[in-house]
Amino acid sequence: MNSVLRLENISHAFGQQPIFDNLYMSVANNTVVSIVGASGVGKTTLFNIAAGLLTPWAGRVFINGVDTTGQAGTVGYMLQKDLLLPFKTVFDNIALPLTLQGFSKAKIADIVNPQLASFGLQGLEHQYPQALSGGQRQRAALLRTYLSDNPIMLLDEPFSALDFVTKDEMYHWFSQLQKRLQLTCLIITHDIDEAIYLSDELYVLKGSPAIFTQKFSIPKDEGFLDSQAYLQLKKQILTAIQS
Ligand SMILES: Nc1ncnc2c1ncn2[C@@H]1O[C@H](COP(=O)(O)OP(=O)(O)O)[C@@H](O)[C@H]1O
Ligand SMILES: [Mg+2]
């Protein structure tokens, strides 16, 4: 399979604090990969490196085979606290990356409007963010990221601020959307159930400096989520994170 994102031999430190030592990973086209790991291990830093916002001390980032190390604007990136601007309408928030690219108003409407229904935002586009539910705001932020039109979306804890009922609905919705739009996604999460539900592969980031200590393939068979095998896998992942 072709990898959309490949990280090769990434090493980094902040001053005297080592962060990564010779880290390697790849995300194949049209797959969802999750990264799980303790708080402070370096997950967001790794995203900043993959997004080209931070140049690692050593190693290379490739997007579709092209070296993009230290080069911003090559991935869709939804930050851990990706707040919508409160003084802009939902539409203008979503359109932000397109506005920044200098598209005309008419062109922006042509791009944004057909997507509103898929993202459950039709009829809400003229509201301000505070009038939306947490799930709706999150979908607006996801649509904005999607419209940056890059080959991969990096989502830093995209559902962590939501209550568990909303989360469940969002998992279901996102998973359908991902299949339909054939999205390639790298997701950071604290939630193992979420990681199993959404991903094809899961990497455990651990240590100081951190490396990927284990990689799991997630079965996608029907009924897996209700099986004993699911509970076993969850236990294995927990052990991998904690041990
Ligand atoms: N710009 C920075 N300068 C110095 N230290 C940083 C910087 N960014 C992150 N760190 C440190 O790097 C470590 C990893 O941070 P982070 O990547 O945010 O972890 P995570 O997302 O896994 O919780 C933390 O100890 C954090 O304090
Ligand atoms: Mg983080």
Side-chain angles (χ1 to χ4, degrees), residues 189 199 237:
T189 176
S199 354
I237 295 169

Side-chain angles (χ1 to χ4, degrees), residues 14 17 19 38-46 80:
F14 288 118
Q17 186 194 0
I19 301 287
S39 182
V41 75
K43 301 181 296 296
T44 298
T45 303
L46 192 64
Q80 192 164 354

Side-chain angles (χ1 to χ4, degrees), residues 10-239:
I10 303 287
S11 296
H12 196 67
F14 288 118
Q16 295 300 305
Q17 186 194 0
I19 301 287
F20 303 125
D21 181 29
N22 212 21
L23 193 141
Y24 180 98
M25 86 167 314
S26 66
V27 182
N29 189 30
N30 192 14
T31 64
V32 179
V33 175
S34 287
I35 297 176
V36 297
S39 182
V41 75
K43 301 181 296 296
T44 298
T45 303
L46 192 64
F47 266 23
N48 289 337
I49 289 173
L53 303 175
L54 182 67
T55 304
W57 280 19
R60 316 303 309 164
V61 178
F62 295 91
I63 307 279
N64 285 332
V66 177
D67 187 339
T68 59
T69 316
Q71 203 182 309
T74 56
V75 302
Y77 187 5
M78 195 167 99
L79 303 179
Q80 192 164 354
K81 293 207 168 75
D82 204 359
L83 302 175
L84 303 175
L85 300 171
F87 50 87
K88 280 186 182 289
T89 63
V90 171
F91 185 94
D92 287 344
N93 267 287
I94 294 167
L96 206 60
L98 304 171
T99 310
L100 293 174
Q101 286 176 64
F103 288 115
S104 71
K105 277 208 156 109
K107 171 91 176 152
I108 290 174
D110 281 350
I111 298 172
V112 173
N113 287 333
Q115 301 298 338
L116 289 171
S118 303
F119 283 75
L121 296 167
Q122 203 154 38
L124 298 172
E125 63 269 34
H126 302 301
Q127 304 273 3
Y128 285 84
Q130 61 270 26
L132 270 55
S133 72
Q136 288 165 339
R137 280 200 293 270
Q138 205 61 27
R139 289 199 299 272
L142 279 163
L143 176 52
R144 178 173 63 188
T145 308
Y146 171 65
L147 292 180
S148 71
D149 198 26
N150 285 299
I152 185 168
M153 301 213 293
L154 308 185
L155 308 175
D156 194 349
E157 307 203 9
F159 307 118
S160 61
L162 304 173
D163 66 81
F164 77 97
V165 178
T166 310
K167 264 190 187 182
D168 241 32
E169 289 168 5
M170 289 285 282
Y171 297 162
H172 184 69
W173 165 78
F174 184 75
S175 177
Q176 304 285 320
L177 183 84
Q178 185 271 330
K179 286 190 192 78
R180 194 156 53 75
L181 301 179
Q182 304 202 309
L183 304 175
T184 306
C185 303
L186 183 59
I187 300 180
I188 290 173
T189 176
H190 269 125
D191 186 323
I192 297 174
D193 291 308
E194 172 177 312
I196 295 177
Y197 189 92
L198 296 178
S199 354
D200 300 289
E201 284 180 345
L202 181 154
Y203 285 78
V204 177
L205 186 63
K206 213 165 113 184
S208 180
I211 54 165
F212 288 120
T213 52
Q214 282 198 61
K215 177 180 163 184
F216 295 89
S217 288
I218 313 294
K220 296 281 114 178
D221 326 326
E222 195 157 348
F224 174 71
L225 295 176
D226 300 313
S227 69
Q228 195 63 31
Y230 168 82
L231 294 176
Q232 274 164 8
L233 177 65
K234 188 174 168 182
K235 205 164 157 193
Q236 276 177 11
I237 295 169
L238 262 173
T239 308

